[in-house]
Amino acid sequence: MSFSGYKFKFRLNIAHSFVDNGFIGDMHYHTVEINMFIQNLNDDIRYFQEVEDLVKSYLNQHENIYLNSVPPFDVISPTIENFGEVIYKDIKYLLATYDFQVERLEISENPTRIYIISDFLLGDKSLDQLDRRELNC
């Protein structure tokens, strides 16, 4: 599978606590790096700034917050993997209205451990199968 598109890089400061079987660890902080590989499905370049602004707006909702206190992380463990899965699905849904497709998302809390999400790795899912909860952008 080949890719031809753009890579956007973002950094985000988050806080969370490890949760396991009722045990809640100490709150700690990370500066996560998020790399997104985005493909333009209609070759129209005029939306790139809007797309980047939309992604920044979405990610800024998570800037400097305690993830354990906001949905869905008040119910699921706010691991870097779960956080990546949630933002991947949300951003994929948001960008579809601009005819952009998120091909791959990489998220890391340090440079030696990177969690990767892509349709190729997860199996091809349509927008109808994504969680359509209300997104605040």
Side-chain angles (χ1 to χ4, degrees), residues 6 8 10 36 38-56 91 94-101:
Y6 291 86
F8 290 94
F10 304 94
M36 292 180 16
I38 298 174
Q39 185 175 24
N40 185 346
L41 300 177
N42 68 10
D43 296 327
D44 187 351
I45 63 169
R46 64 191 164 121
Y47 293 118
F48 277 107
Q49 189 61 50
E50 290 178 54
V51 165
E52 187 173 3
D53 291 345
L54 184 64
V55 172
K56 283 181 185 177
I91 292 171
L94 286 171
L95 297 188
T97 59
Y98 288 87
D99 286 332
F100 281 80
Q101 182 171 318

Side-chain angles (χ1 to χ4, degrees), residues 26-111:
D26 293 334
M27 180 176 72
H28 58 282
Y29 300 88
H30 294 283
T31 297
V32 296
E33 182 170 289
I34 299 165
N35 295 306
M36 292 180 16
F37 297 80
I38 298 174
Q39 185 175 24
N40 185 346
L41 300 177
N42 68 10
D43 296 327
D44 187 351
I45 63 169
R46 64 191 164 121
Y47 293 118
F48 277 107
Q49 189 61 50
E50 290 178 54
V51 165
E52 187 173 3
D53 291 345
L54 184 64
V55 172
K56 283 181 185 177
S57 176
Y58 171 81
L59 291 175
N60 282 340
Q61 296 176 79
H62 302 91
E63 180 74 27
N64 295 315
I65 64 162
Y66 180 58
L67 286 180
N68 298 61
S69 68
V70 297
F73 305 108
D74 55 342
V75 177
I76 66 171
S77 185
T79 62
I80 197 72
E81 297 83 2
N82 286 343
F83 184 53
E85 297 281 350
V86 167
I87 64 175
Y88 176 78
K89 290 176 184 176
D90 288 350
I91 292 171
K92 184 177 178 85
Y93 181 75
L94 286 171
L95 297 188
T97 59
Y98 288 87
D99 286 332
F100 281 80
Q101 182 171 318
V102 180
E103 295 288 335
R104 176 177 170 143
L105 183 136
E106 299 175 350
I107 185 167
S108 62
E109 50 190 32
N110 71 56

